[in-house]
């Protein structure tokens, strides 16, 4: 279900969800560019993509899908993999940067929810709960090894050269396959498993912080 139906039922919830979702996606993309810069590729910075301003990140179709279908995407941050130092490690680090950013946001929001004074303020508690859920979903979804998702780039680094070439040849069709799997619900079991893994890791890291 998209965000449009929520707009008519609960405008405040619509604004909170839309802002959190938009900036969680932006944080994911900026993280890719920021880590790429650490490894020697400044292309994202040169194109003005290391910014919290949503305008350079917005993909019109991805934004429309966000409101209509409930999922969407931003413009991918440009990466010149030829400039990355320590190529294999650099590529894996850049690929996992977005997922890591979403996990850190989920962790921070969940940690804040541990404070009783915040739990006692319903609007803030609700926003933090939504932030946790959104960022866990984004992290889990992007870990799926289907091109063009981040997990596919990590998987490719561990494939033999011949298999890697064939794998990336599939990337031109990967987006359409991904959309088909989402709309048919065939991807749901995989997403659920990945979410369970992310929540499990989140709970493990949070366990020392329970008050």
């Amino acid at each position: 279900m998209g965000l449009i139906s929520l707009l008519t039922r609960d405008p405040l919830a619509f604004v909170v969800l839309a802002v959190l979702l938009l900036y969680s996606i932006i944080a994911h993309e900026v993280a890719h560019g920021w880590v790429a810069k650490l490894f020697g590729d400044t292309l994202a910075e040169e194109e003005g993509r290391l910014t919290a301003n949503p305008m350079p990140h917005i993909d019109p179709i991805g934004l429309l899908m966000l409101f209509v279908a409930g999922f969407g995407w931003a413009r991918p941050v440009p990466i010149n993999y030829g400039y990355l130092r320590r190529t294999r490690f650099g590529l894996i680090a850049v690929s996992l940067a977005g997922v890591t950013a979403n996990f850190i946001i989920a962790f921070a929001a969940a940690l804040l929810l541990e404070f009783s004074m915040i739990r006692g303020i319903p609007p803030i508690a609700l926003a933090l709960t939504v932030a946790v859920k959104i960022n866990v979903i984004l992290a889990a979804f992007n870990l799926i090894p289907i091109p063009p998702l981040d997990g596919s780039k990590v998987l490719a680094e561990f494939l033999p050269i011949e298999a890697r070439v064939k794998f990336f040849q599939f990337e031109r069709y990967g987006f359409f396959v991904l959309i088909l799997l989402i709309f048919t619900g065939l991807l749901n079991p995989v997403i659920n498993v990945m979410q369970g893994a992310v929540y499990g890791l989140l709970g493990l890291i949070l366990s020392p912080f329970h008050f």
Side-chain angles (χ1 to χ4, degrees):
M1 181 181 295
L3 298 181
I4 291 178
S5 61
L6 183 61
L7 176 60
T8 58
R9 291 184 288 110
D10 192 337
L12 179 59
F14 167 84
V15 171
V16 171
L17 182 56
V19 170
L20 288 173
L21 188 50
L22 178 63
Y23 274 95
S24 295
I25 294 173
I26 289 173
H28 181 102
E29 292 300 330
V30 170
H32 283 306
W34 183 74
V35 173
K37 181 183 177 182
L38 291 180
F39 282 90
D41 174 26
T42 60
L43 182 58
E45 182 180 40
E46 291 166 3
E47 295 196 5
R49 298 296 304 279
L50 301 188
T51 175
N53 178 2
M55 296 311 296
H57 301 287
I58 288 177
D59 179 297
I61 297 177
L63 185 64
L64 178 64
M65 291 293 290
L66 179 63
F67 284 93
V68 174
F71 74 93
W73 56 89
R75 288 175 54 219
V77 165
I79 305 293
N80 190 327
Y81 293 102
Y83 287 166
L84 296 178
R85 296 187 294 268
R86 300 171 65 186
T87 307
R88 169 169 283 191
F89 179 69
L91 192 148
I92 292 174
V94 170
S95 299
L96 291 178
V99 169
T100 304
N102 291 132
F103 187 85
I104 290 172
I105 293 171
F107 169 77
L111 185 60
L112 287 172
L113 280 169
E114 290 294 324
F115 292 93
S116 58
M117 60 180 182
I118 289 179
R119 288 199 299 267
I121 307 175
I124 296 178
L126 176 60
L128 290 171
T129 301
V130 171
V132 172
K133 291 181 179 180
I134 285 174
N135 282 279
V136 167
I137 291 172
L138 286 172
F141 182 70
N142 279 282
L143 282 171
I144 297 172
I146 298 177
L149 299 179
D150 300 330
S152 68
K153 296 178 176 63
V154 177
L155 174 63
E157 284 302 299
F158 296 95
L159 295 176
I161 295 296
E162 298 81 2
R164 190 185 308 173
V165 171
K166 292 180 180 178
F167 186 66
F168 280 122
Q169 286 176 346
F170 171 73
E171 188 166 9
R172 72 186 71 175
Y173 311 109
F175 178 79
F176 301 103
V177 171
L178 197 58
I179 295 297
L180 178 63
L181 291 175
I182 290 171
F183 275 109
T184 58
L186 294 174
L187 201 60
N188 288 350
V190 179
I191 294 175
N192 290 337
V193 169
M194 300 302 287
Q195 280 190 59
V198 175
Y199 270 121
L201 179 59
L202 186 62
L204 183 64
I205 296 176
L206 280 169
S207 58
F209 298 96
H210 288 306
F211 301 107

